[in-house]
Amino acid sequence: MSEPKAPTPTPGDTYKGWLFKWTNYIKGYQRRWFVLSNGLLSYYRTQAEMGHTCRGTINLATANIAVEDSCNFVISNGGAQTYHLKASSEVERQRWITALELAKAKAVRMQAESDDSGDDCPPSSPPSAGQAGGARNAEVQSTLRTLGNKVEDLSTCNDLIAKHGSALQRSLSELEGVRLGGDAGDKIRQVTERATLFRITSNAMINACRDFLALAQAHSKRWQKALQAEREQRVRLEETLEQLAKQHNHLERAFRGATVLPASLANTPGDSKGSVPGKGDVSDEDDENEFFDAMEDVPEFITVPADPKYHRSGSNVSGISSEIGMDEQSLDEQSLASNPESPQPQEVEPVRKRRTRIPDKPNYSLNLWSIMKNCIGKELSKIPMPVNFNEPLSMLQRLSEDLEYSDLLDKAAKCQNPLEQLCYVAAFSVSSYSTTVHRTGKPFNPLLGETFELDRVKESGYRSLCEQVSHHPPAAAHHVISERGWTLRQEIALASKFRGKYLSIMPLGTIHCIFEKSNNHYSWKKVTTTVHNIIVGKLWIDQSGEIDVVNHRTGDHCHLKFAPYSYFSRDVARKVTGVVSDKDGKVHFVLSGTWDEKMEVSRVMQSSRGGGGENGTDGKQKTVYQTLRARELWKKNPLPEGAETMYYFSSLALTLNEPEEGMAPTDSRRRPDQRLMEQGRWEEANAEKQRLEEKQRSVRREREREAARVAGPTEDGTHQDNYKAQWFERTEDPNTGEVTHIYQGGYWEAKEQGSWGTCPDIF
């Protein structure tokens, strides 16, 4: 069957179609798919082979094209390659002849230009950037393809030489053991034939090497010239970038730094007694008082170094007294020094030695798209996922990882100044994201009624309990009590959507932290987590959104902004900025850093309103803060050695699934599918995971039937799930008005007594 009519090819076109190629006298002509591109004619058995297997290629620049009859024609490059081809019709043959002649003329012209460009004389007039780039790309592809064919010829000749050389060696060995007689002539004739084959193959190898060397030498000068041009262009770009950097640095020094915060948190007019130092007040060499470099984005408020007098003077400024001495003393050190009730160092009793390694993650391949293509738009909790996408921890254990830096709350509990305490609480809210930067694995969805305890009284002074209190929507309640003067509680429900290219996870719920001594009650919410490159590329995680940490007793608050990643942004990645303000909106501290590395704090000494022109955008005023030098508030702990083979777990995460004595029957460490995955037995883990999920569905159906029998169906015809949590009670929060689960006690007493009689059988 002939191909559909196509227009007459023009120079530069890629021409494709079916032709019949002569193979041998047994099979005759066989149908093959031919492709003419960049002066090369290649053929394949089918169109599907184009991506991986080329059956042969001939360079038209040195080829002869001859027409035999109405449908047949021959292409030969001088004897090494000859294609006897037949078209389905005379018209089709003429189309191919025209395309081949045009391609040959262009190939000859390109080869001549290539030879000319190898000379030392400079080119007359360069083509446009687009034309030059396309021509260079086509020539490079053509040359690489030709060199590849030559390398394949060399490889074939090498195999033949080895084969015939071995045969010749065997014949010579046999000849040595033959007595002169009737069979001597046959042996000598056999040796002569094999020696002739070896000589022919060697000559072919030499010729192939000569062709390869000639082709490489022909392009070497041109490639050297192109490489030199690229080097010169790179030098010019580096010089341009250096000039731009100097100009940018000059502008930065003129502007004297910037950071981000909403203008709504600005000072009241009564606080704006000072003004921004001008160029004469702060010299370019006064780096000692510099806060931090200017941001690339348009700032919503401005920070500048405080006047040097604030570093030396103890006079009151904007209501701040001798606390200015904090510039020479870290936040926690000053707070502890001013706290007469701070405990003295004492001997710490030896604690249990916990594990520092888990089995390495197996390298199992999986077709992600085959699973995810039917899940677009669905809730993540309703998608059946194999353990290949998981990490061997449950969501309850991931929630407990928020306590990685509980020492920040220990320091906060010792603070007498509520604003300083708020700085530590804000740093703690940021630190909980530091473990997620490389953790692209999905935690196991907890089963309804599943619990996880984290008893770290001896090491860190706290006890933590999590329980899965709802399955649809999934929600977990968490309660932590510390011997060092603070309590943390939260109920987190996850709303997640798969968008095809990325996965958005929106935590719903509020985190509460209460300090016993001061009775300060803080609350905040989590930001959105986004997992990018779900289908193609390397997975990576970003955090974005805003957090407001509020002190419900004093009215103080901290506003934090997690900047989303932008490919075009010149700012530091994963940046977090914020301010700490009192109930009147007066800013006392500025926070800055990244959610995966560290946070710093600077005390605000004075503030003023900036103008709408130089400091503002669209006429909006910005607030200018004079700050002392930044002090480190929190820094991420380094990952353990070999973390990349252990799911990038932190030192705390490595211990979360370690079995312990006295665990509740519902503890996450008893989950068989999670344990099998940690041991590298993923197939068994997948089977066990399906069994547990089906068991949970059966229990839920039975519970709904029981509820329907007692109370009947709801108005919409569905049945109400009357599940009640084991250790948490659903009640209204007095500060936020939210209905949430709060710990009702009894768990640790049950553990001490070893009495778990009321715990459900979920595993």
Side-chain angles (χ1 to χ4, degrees), residues 37-53:
S37 177
N38 296 323
L40 298 174
L41 180 65
S42 306
Y43 73 96
Y44 311 83
R45 286 185 178 175
T46 62
Q47 297 182 50
E49 284 189 347
M50 290 181 61
H52 53 83
T53 306

Side-chain angles (χ1 to χ4, degrees), residues 413 421 480 485-489 512-522 524 733 735:
Q421 187 177 73
V480 189
W486 54 269
T487 301
L488 184 78
R489 60 178 172 85
H512 299 265
C513 185
I514 303 99
F515 293 94
E516 295 177 3
K517 182 179 178 181
S518 62
N519 203 30
N520 287 330
H521 183 159
Y522 299 90
W524 66 93
D733 186 271
N735 292 287

Side-chain angles (χ1 to χ4, degrees), residues 156-226:
T156 302
C157 293
N158 180 63
D159 295 340
L160 290 174
I161 286 177
K163 176 182 177 181
H164 296 318
S166 299
L168 180 59
Q169 184 63 42
R170 287 197 303 271
S171 298
L172 291 174
S173 300
E174 293 173 357
L175 189 60
E176 291 178 356
V178 173
R179 292 192 298 270
L180 294 178
D183 57 347
D186 295 337
K187 291 295 182 182
I188 293 174
R189 193 161 44 252
Q190 185 180 19
V191 171
T192 303
E193 291 175 356
R194 292 183 175 176
T196 302
L197 284 173
F198 186 79
R199 176 175 55 80
I200 294 173
T201 308
S202 300
N203 289 337
M205 180 73 167
I206 293 171
N207 291 335
C209 291
R210 185 185 298 114
D211 292 343
F212 183 84
L213 181 61
L215 188 60
Q217 288 176 342
H219 290 82
S220 62
K221 287 185 178 180
R222 184 168 176 275
W223 285 347
Q224 288 174 1
K225 183 177 290 186

Side-chain angles (χ1 to χ4, degrees), residues 539-581:
L539 292 174
W540 61 278
I541 291 178
D542 193 25
Q543 313 286 350
S544 59
E546 298 181 358
I547 291 179
D548 284 298
V549 185
V550 180
N551 186 336
H552 295 278
R553 188 183 71 85
T554 64
D556 304 334
H557 65 277
C558 174
H559 181 86
L560 295 170
K561 181 177 180 180
F562 287 64
Y565 174 80
S566 173
Y567 179 79
F568 301 99
S569 174
R570 292 169 291 179
D571 210 346
V572 61
R574 310 181 184 99
K575 186 169 186 177
V576 181
T577 54
V579 293
V580 174
S581 310

Side-chain angles (χ1 to χ4, degrees), residues 616-674:
T617 305
D618 300 330
K620 296 181 180 179
Q621 285 190 335
K622 300 188 187 322
T623 304
V624 179
Y625 299 118
Q626 295 187 40
T627 62
L628 299 180
R629 288 196 301 269
R631 296 299 183 188
E632 187 174 271
L633 195 60
W634 159 76
K635 186 176 182 180
K636 178 186 176 182
N637 297 327
L639 291 175
E641 184 179 356
E644 63 277 1
T645 64
M646 299 184 294
Y647 308 89
Y648 286 97
F649 280 179
S650 64
S651 298
L652 175 62
L654 288 174
T655 67
L656 294 181
N657 207 40
E658 184 178 12
E660 294 187 4
E661 294 182 1
M663 297 184 302
T666 54
D667 196 278
S668 298
R669 283 164 285 205
R670 296 187 184 275
R671 282 192 65 154
D673 53 348
Q674 190 171 296

